[in-house]
Amino acid sequence: MPSHVLIIEDEPDIRKTIDYNLSKESFEVVQAASIQEGEKALASNKIDVIILDLMLPDGSGLTLCRDIKSDSKLKHIPVIILTAKTEEVDRVVGFELGADDYVTKPFSVRELILRVKAILKRGP
């Protein structure tokens, strides 16, 4: 049974690249370009891990991360933040709000996929 990954990223090229590479590794991928699309995808799909950009057109990914981690039905879903924000304070805030991992752009797709696999191996 393949794992389901939700990518919430407003940059189409990044979304497509991650989707393509995860699909090659037998993951089922759902894409969202905004917080609103991400929330709809979470409501209508079984999601095992979320890759979340912080700077989205309709708000902050940090707010969405906090909302996911405070929702009893969603808090078990691991969140990997994928962002251009590289400052220590940004990483600390991400982890404080419940992120399971933090990857900065530019990033290695291969490393990101390995991080997804490692998080899924840990289990809930």
Side-chain angles (χ1 to χ4, degrees), residues 7-11 15 31-35 37-38 56-58:
I7 304 167
I8 306 174
E9 164 66 60
D10 62 327
E11 182 57 50
R15 256 194 340 266
Q31 292 188 31
S34 66
I35 290 173
E37 286 180 22
L56 294 160
D58 56 347

Side-chain angles (χ1 to χ4, degrees), residues 2 14 31 46 48 55 59 65-66 69 77 83 89 109 111:
I14 293 174
Q31 292 188 31
K46 179 193 177 301
D48 299 303
M55 295 177 281
C65 181
R66 184 192 63 221
K69 293 301 182 174
I77 303 172
T83 183
V89 66
V109 175
E111 179 184 349

Side-chain angles (χ1 to χ4, degrees), residues 56-72:
L56 294 160
D58 56 347
S60 168
L62 285 174
T63 303
L64 179 58
C65 181
R66 184 192 63 221
D67 293 348
I68 289 167
K69 293 301 182 174
S70 62
D71 184 317
S72 61

Side-chain angles (χ1 to χ4, degrees), residues 5-9 11-24 27 29 31 51 82 105 107 109 112-113 116:
V5 180
L6 171 59
I7 304 167
I8 306 174
E9 164 66 60
E11 182 57 50
D13 290 342
I14 293 174
R15 256 194 340 266
K16 288 176 190 166
T17 299
I18 297 170
D19 183 333
Y20 173 78
N21 285 279
L22 284 170
S23 296
K24 276 181 32 182
F27 287 95
V29 180
Q31 292 188 31
I51 298 173
L82 179 66
K105 299 174 186 174
F107 63 99
V109 175
L112 179 62
I113 290 169
V116 168

